[in-house]
Amino acid sequence: MISYKEVGLVNTRDMFAKAMKGQYAIGAFNFNNMEQMQAIIAACVETKAPVILQVSKGARDYANINILRNMARGSVEYAHELGCDIPIVLHLDHGDSFQTAKDCIDNGFSSVMIDGSHLPYEENIALTKKVVDYAHEHDVTVEGELGVLAGIEDEVSSAVSHYTRPEEVVDFSTRTGVDSLAISIGTSHGAYKFTPEQCTRNAEGILIPPPLRFDILEEIEKELPGFPIVLHGASSVPQEYVKIINEHGGKLADSVGIPEEQLRKAAKSAVCKINIDSDGRLAMTATIRRIFDEKPAEFDPRKYLGPAREELKKMYMHKNVDVLGSAGHALD
Ligand code: G3H
Ligand code: 13P
Ligand code: ZN
């Protein structure tokens, strides 16, 4: 058993209490490799923002849990070396079973999500409670989910979304003991969050997605005052990255994300954690495609992964400062 405390990480409890009070949200950024991790930490140190490093089941399979834990340990030391001991959480994203969650808790994770959102309600409660009971014995915090997002959720893919039912949230959170709750109010995973038919088009032909259901969020906040809420599927799919990708041999037609001003509004509410993965993938891919196209003789990975890391850092800094409002709150 390796405790996250030995690794220098923190759980989400204090972080969320401060975010709730300060009306901002913490960035939960997915990572699978060293460049992503370095970019996230450098951006959060430079903007003095707390951060959640997020690992999906796919990332675990890709990178190996021991390597990921040691990267998280390295990120704590890296932040220190860069001059600011920002609070860092290592979080399991979309945990699919008790065993996966336990394995992460036993391997130095400070927070886990157990995603039973696709299960019948009572089964979601039973699975989530089992994880909470184990996690809390180790002072690890747990995120549960009610409602289903459209799009790809790790290996679970759903064609349609079911909004969270506000009448269920008190019963779910009391019976499971979760520390935070992921909800479905119209966000969606991946770079194709809505079909063109679900959107309108502006004068330039850019797809405008349907607005988030802030009415449902408000009802949830009334039911659970002061309870930390999580938004998944919150990438904005910046069209400048899509354009670069398409101009350099890529093919991302009709990709669309969540407008940043809606996320800014959500971050000022009970939403304390906002998950962003796809925007990082787009930033890296756009940079690498451009370099491959412009410098076909280049074959040193540092010459394209380095600039991709710089672009990622810029993107995460922008999220902390202009979208989440977490900048400047690392030492609250
Ligand atoms: O919610 C899903 C995340 O974007 C992780 O995706 O399973 O491809 O790593 P992944
Ligand atoms: P995006 O695909 O919108 O980045 O969402 C990521 C996410 O929710 C990870 O759990
Ligand atoms: Zn998610």
Side-chain angles (χ1 to χ4, degrees):
M1 170 90 201
I2 298 152
S3 165
Y4 67 87
K5 292 176 187 173
E6 291 162 34
V7 181
L9 301 163
V10 296
N11 68 25
T12 58
R13 201 166 291 123
D14 264 21
M15 216 181 238
F16 286 168
K18 288 173 185 166
M20 183 75 72
K21 203 158 153 242
Q23 298 195 312
Y24 60 91
I26 318 285
F29 303 133
N30 290 70
F31 81 109
N32 298 265
N33 61 45
M34 182 189 75
E35 283 77 11
Q36 290 170 321
M37 184 276 276
Q38 290 172 317
I40 294 168
I41 296 301
C44 292
V45 165
E46 206 157 315
T47 54
K48 299 209 168 1
V51 69
I52 297 171
L53 288 174
Q54 192 157 264
V55 167
S56 68
K57 189 168 172 291
R60 277 190 49 174
D61 296 343
Y62 178 78
N64 178 286
I65 194 159
N66 291 312
I67 291 179
L68 288 166
R69 181 187 59 255
N70 282 297
M71 279 171 76
R73 185 195 296 272
S75 76
V76 172
E77 291 174 18
Y78 185 46
H80 183 75
E81 189 189 313
L82 292 176
C84 185
D85 290 315
I86 54 169
I88 302 174
V89 169
L90 180 62
H91 175 80
L92 167 67
D93 190 25
H94 295 285
D96 61 342
S97 66
F98 174 76
Q99 197 49 49
T100 304
K102 179 180 182 302
D103 204 33
C104 286
I105 293 164
D106 294 350
N107 272 286
F109 281 56
S110 59
S111 172
V112 292
M113 175 189 194
I114 180 71
D115 183 357
S117 60
H118 53 286
L119 297 172
Y121 183 68
E122 288 298 330
E123 285 176 41
N124 186 2
I125 290 190
L127 174 62
T128 306
K129 182 172 169 15
K130 190 172 173 194
V131 171
V132 169
D133 288 346
Y134 185 75
H136 284 182
E137 278 173 32
H138 302 280
D139 204 18
V140 167
T141 40
V142 180
E143 174 186 327
E145 180 166 345
L146 268 182
V148 178
L149 272 67
I152 309 290
E153 290 212 280
D154 231 334
E155 276 143 30
V156 187
S157 146
S158 177
V160 281
S161 72
H162 305 286
Y163 297 127
T164 304
R165 292 155 53 93
E167 60 273 28
E168 287 179 349
V169 298
V170 172
D171 184 61
F172 184 83
S173 58
T174 345
R175 285 173 61 198
T176 58
V178 280
D179 302 280
S180 61
L181 181 66
I183 60 165
S184 171
I185 57 163
T187 58
S188 163
H189 288 102
Y192 300 93
K193 298 194 184 300
F194 307 96
T195 62
E197 294 72 41
Q198 292 172 304
C199 302
T200 51
R201 280 192 197 267
N202 72 8
E204 290 90 54
I206 304 284
L207 291 172
I208 311 295
L212 296 183
R213 292 290 303 270
F214 281 98
D215 56 321
I216 299 178
L217 174 59
E218 274 167 32
E219 279 185 59
I220 292 169
E221 286 185 272
K222 270 190 213 136
E223 294 288 333
L224 281 178
F227 195 82
I229 299 297
V230 177
L231 277 193
H232 282 249
S235 276
S236 294
V237 188
Q239 289 302 302
E240 56 272 28
Y241 291 145
V242 173
K243 190 162 175 278
I244 297 171
I245 290 170
N246 290 342
E247 280 171 359
H248 295 283
K251 208 169 180 193
L252 296 181
D254 292 335
S255 55
V256 60
I258 310 295
E260 289 189 336
E261 48 300 351
Q262 291 187 39
L263 298 169
R264 185 75 206 95
K265 181 174 166 186
K268 290 181 180 162
S269 72
V271 171
C272 290
K273 172 175 179 272
I274 292 191
N275 287 11
I276 296 172
D277 184 2
S278 298
D279 284 357
R281 297 178 184 202
L282 291 167
M284 280 198 102
T285 303
T287 312
I288 292 169
R289 272 200 178 277
R290 182 179 52 71
I291 294 173
F292 279 2
D293 199 14
E294 290 172 356
K295 299 180 181 170
E298 189 55 73
F299 71 102
D300 178 347
R302 294 170 297 187
K303 298 285 165 47
Y304 49 87
L305 292 178
R309 183 174 61 191
E310 263 317 296
E311 188 56 48
L312 268 181
K313 179 182 165 194
K314 216 171 83 192
M315 194 272 292
Y316 291 125
M317 288 178 70
H318 162 68
K319 297 287 182 191
N320 291 345
V321 173
D322 303 314
V323 183
L324 308 167
S326 60
H329 289 289
L331 305 173
D332 280 1

